Amino acid sequence: MTASDSSERGYLLDNKQSEAGIRFGALSELFDPVTFRHVDRLGTGAGMRCWEVGAGGPSVAVGLAERVGSGGAVVATDIEVSWAADAADAAGGVVQVLRHDVAADPPPPGAFDLVHARLVLVHVGDRAEALRRMIGALRPGGWLLLEDADPGLQPLLCPDESGPEQRLANRLRTGFRELMAACGADLAYGRTLPRLLREAGLADVEADAYFPITSPACTVLEAATVRQIRGRLVAAGLATDAEIDTHLGNVATGRLDLATAPLVSAWGRKP
């Protein structure tokens, strides 16, 4: 993921922290099948050029490289590229990794057949400028595939709030959302994607949404996320250390039915 938040606010989920690699793995397990279902539906194949925006971990860039082959190219960009660097090694030279801020830096050179960003723009300060730059990088007929969360559509960590463990989990998730909003995240951004793509002049715009419940990867993701933001939750008075320890213990039992915010996927073609 990438972000253009101001230096005063910063990015809540710092990709330099050790938990980031765990989160990337869990997000890959949860959402790569969704992403590649859309990538394949859009006809991504041999010889094409793809730009993976805010790559985070290597899995999407490597999957794109497998589809475009040695005659194609994948440019993977992020403001923190240490995790994505593994993609270049795994893809046999097809993937180029660049440090890049999608809302501030010019797009990588050359026109692209596919530009994709997942869980990126919700965190970017100037979302409109980032969208403009991504569309500008498409060749005529190229596809933009945006996938972003919408915590406002489904705000609960435990949709079945059946007991004190679930109520605590949902209260901490509310605190997490408050921290995200304070860092500039738009918690209702996912639902706007189809309209934004149409307003930007893209054709054949469609969208769908997906959110898992009770995946083992949800448990891994929640534990890593809470560990990563623990200090921020306590400092903001949103939870105590004892409450966080209790929640992490509850999560570790595997008996909580944990969910994610919906991932809204929207795509459109440049005329």
Side-chain angles (χ1 to χ4, degrees):
M1 295 180 236
T2 186
S4 286
D5 302 304
S6 70
S7 59
E8 290 81 5
R9 294 184 301 178
Y11 181 37
L12 181 61
L13 296 168
D14 185 353
N15 288 352
K16 293 181 180 179
Q17 293 176 276
S18 59
E19 292 87 354
I22 299 172
R23 294 185 69 255
F24 289 147
L27 291 168
S28 174
E29 183 175 340
L30 289 168
F31 296 130
D32 277 7
V34 177
T35 294
F36 286 113
R37 173 165 58 86
H38 296 309
V39 164
D40 293 338
R41 182 181 183 277
L42 297 178
T44 307
M48 291 186 173
R49 298 189 75 244
C50 303
W51 178 15
E52 175 62 15
V53 181
S59 66
V60 174
V62 171
L64 291 173
E66 292 170 352
R67 285 158 173 80
V68 304
S70 59
V74 176
V75 180
T77 65
D78 206 328
I79 57 173
E80 168 56 46
V81 299
S82 58
W83 302 104
D86 292 340
D89 297 332
V94 176
V95 175
Q96 179 185 16
V97 177
L98 300 175
R99 189 180 304 276
H100 179 272
D101 185 328
V102 66
D105 300 327
F112 293 94
D113 300 285
L114 173 72
V115 175
H116 171 252
R118 186 176 76 193
L119 299 172
V120 173
L121 292 187
V122 69
H123 301 287
V124 171
D126 193 346
R127 285 174 275 272
E129 179 61 20
L131 180 60
R132 186 189 69 79
R133 292 178 188 232
M134 286 190 285
I135 291 174
L138 289 169
R139 67 163 181 81
W143 289 93
L144 176 63
L145 172 60
L146 296 182
E147 301 182 293
D148 245 311
D150 194 313
L153 281 176
Q154 197 298 101
L156 302 177
L157 179 61
C158 294
D160 179 20
E161 195 177 74
S162 57
E165 297 90 349
Q166 290 78 13
R167 288 192 289 273
L168 175 60
N170 287 339
R171 184 159 64 81
L172 294 185
R173 176 55 57 92
T174 298
F176 177 38
R177 294 201 318 273
E178 291 180 15
L179 292 176
M180 287 181 64
C183 286
D186 182 349
L187 303 184
Y189 187 67
R191 73 192 74 178
T192 71
L193 291 177
R195 172 176 56 82
L196 293 177
L197 296 190
R198 286 195 304 271
E199 291 177 349
L202 297 186
D204 301 324
V205 173
E206 296 184 50
D208 64 16
Y210 168 79
F211 75 97
I213 303 176
T214 322
S215 165
C218 288
T219 300
V220 174
L221 179 63
E222 173 63 10
T225 300
V226 170
R227 288 195 300 268
Q228 195 164 3
I229 65 170
R230 177 181 191 131
R232 301 281 287 270
L233 287 168
V234 173
L238 297 168
T240 66
D241 277 314
E243 288 171 332
I244 293 172
D245 286 339
T246 297
H247 174 61
L248 289 173
N250 294 338
V251 169
T253 68
R255 295 195 298 268
L256 297 183
D257 295 324
L258 304 182
T260 69
L263 181 75
V264 178
S265 302
W267 55 94
R269 178 179 54 81
K270 187 173 184 178

